């Protein structure tokens, strides 16, 4: 006699990572967002709605400032040469201070730079996919991850989505691919850091990217998550980060 197969019924959906974290902590999870202007737009989408979203958010994101330092001289796609603000280069001291003051449960590092600018390295303009640049930038990102993980706080890092704009230089997509390969390798090699596939969320079928979700335009300038998109994508990134560290923990 062989017992009949039993229908297990529908599988329960996984718990919402924000709800699960809140239950575990007995308070809203504290999320510190660091990174560049893409990170800034995510933070701007979350901060006004913290209570409704069940989050406690702080931001150390700085517009036009990722983790690259060096001379600070950059060449924009139109050929304009600019010098970065000092705030772009002080993250090694600024981030630990923010971590000590805020005591986050998760740090989200979002560097959405789409490989669109060239940097002055020893008097030569270089960009992603150039072996000299890649070796130099790898050390910068590795140091950023070391600074963030030194306190023991879990970290989640996104990769970068393609820039969809007529202003994007023709090397941008290839550069983003090189950056994301580098980010993936460093995340895998750094204990305490989890990946968040922002590129896959925004551009699930490369080179095509999603224009809107649930009627919300994702990137009105092809790069930043402005307005309601900052809330929508900020919540997605936060959930992904909390879920990843829960699995690791």
């Amino acid at each position: 006699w062989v017992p009949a197969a039993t229908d297990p019924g529908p599988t329960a959906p996984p718990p919402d990572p924000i709800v699960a974290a809140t239950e575990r902590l007995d308070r809203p999870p504290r999320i510190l967002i660091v990174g560049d202007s893409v990170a800034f737009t995510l933070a701007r989408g979350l901060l006004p709605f913290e209570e409704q979203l069940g989050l406690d958010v702080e931001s150390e994101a700085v517009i036009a400032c990722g983790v690259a330092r060096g001379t600070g001289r950059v060449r924009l796609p139109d050929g304009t040469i600019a010098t970065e603000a000092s705030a772009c280069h002080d993250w090694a001291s600024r981030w630990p201070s923010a971590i000590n003051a805020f005591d986050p449960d998760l740090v989200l590092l979002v560097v959405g730079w789409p490989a669109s600018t060239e940097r002055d390295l020893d008097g030569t303009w270089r960009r992603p996919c150039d072996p000299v640049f890649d070796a130099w930038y790898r050390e910068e990102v590795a140091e950023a991850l070391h600074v963030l993980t030194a306190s023991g706080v879990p970290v989640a890092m996104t990769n970068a989505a393609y820039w969809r704009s007529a202003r994007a230089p023709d090397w941008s997509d290839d550069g983003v691919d090189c950056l994301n390969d580098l980010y993936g390798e460093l995340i895998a090699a750094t204990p305490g850091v989890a990946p968040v596939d922002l590129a896959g969320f925004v551009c699930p079928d490369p080179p095509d990217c999603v224009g809107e979700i649930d009627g919300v335009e994702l990137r009105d300038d092809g790069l930043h998550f402005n307005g309601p998109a900052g809330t929508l994508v900020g919540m997605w990134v936060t959930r992904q980060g909390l879920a990843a560290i829960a699995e690791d923990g």
Side-chain angles (χ1 to χ4, degrees):
W1 173 77
V2 179
T6 302
D7 182 359
T11 302
D16 183 290
I18 296 173
V19 173
T22 301
E23 292 176 348
R24 184 178 72 255
L25 298 165
D26 198 28
R27 58 167 171 77
R30 292 191 287 261
I31 311 298
L32 175 63
I33 300 175
V34 301
D36 59 12
S37 55
V38 174
F40 185 90
T41 58
L42 298 184
R44 187 169 57 186
L46 297 175
L47 282 164
F49 311 110
E50 291 174 285
E51 185 174 349
Q52 299 97 309
L53 300 174
L55 296 172
D56 188 357
V57 180
E58 286 286 337
S59 175
E60 283 292 329
V62 180
I63 293 174
C65 299
V67 300
R69 294 170 295 185
T71 67
R73 295 181 72 239
V74 296
R75 185 163 66 181
L76 307 180
D78 65 2
T80 302
I81 296 174
T83 300
E84 294 173 326
S86 59
C88 293
H89 299 173
D90 67 0
W91 48 258
S93 59
R94 181 164 45 84
W95 292 351
S97 295
I99 290 172
N100 290 335
F102 184 52
D103 190 22
D105 302 298
L106 171 67
V107 178
L108 288 175
L109 172 57
V110 181
V111 181
W113 173 52
S116 53
T117 52
E118 298 170 290
R119 299 191 71 88
D120 170 25
L121 295 185
D122 296 326
T124 300
W125 295 111
R126 299 189 184 275
R127 60 179 186 249
C129 301
D130 175 332
V132 174
F133 176 90
D134 291 351
W136 173 82
Y137 188 62
R138 177 181 294 272
E139 293 185 2
E140 294 291 280
V141 178
E143 176 64 13
L145 294 177
H146 173 73
V147 166
L148 291 175
T149 57
S151 66
V153 175
V155 175
M157 181 179 181
T158 69
N159 51 15
Y162 296 129
W163 186 17
R164 287 295 168 257
S165 168
R167 296 170 54 205
D170 57 11
W171 67 76
S172 180
D173 279 13
D174 288 342
V176 166
D177 289 340
C178 289
L179 290 176
N180 287 343
D181 287 346
L182 184 152
Y183 296 151
E185 292 168 5
L186 287 173
I187 291 168
T190 308
V193 182
V196 174
D197 187 15
L198 181 58
F201 181 67
V202 178
C203 306
D205 187 21
D208 296 327
C209 298
V210 175
E212 66 176 48
I213 294 177
D214 296 334
V216 175
E217 185 178 16
L218 285 191
R219 302 185 295 170
D220 55 10
D221 64 355
L223 179 60
H224 300 98
F225 302 102
N226 294 310
T231 310
L232 187 155
V233 180
M235 286 293 284
W236 182 86
V237 169
T238 299
R239 287 190 168 102
Q240 294 295 306
L242 288 171
I245 66 170
E247 292 176 2
D248 291 346

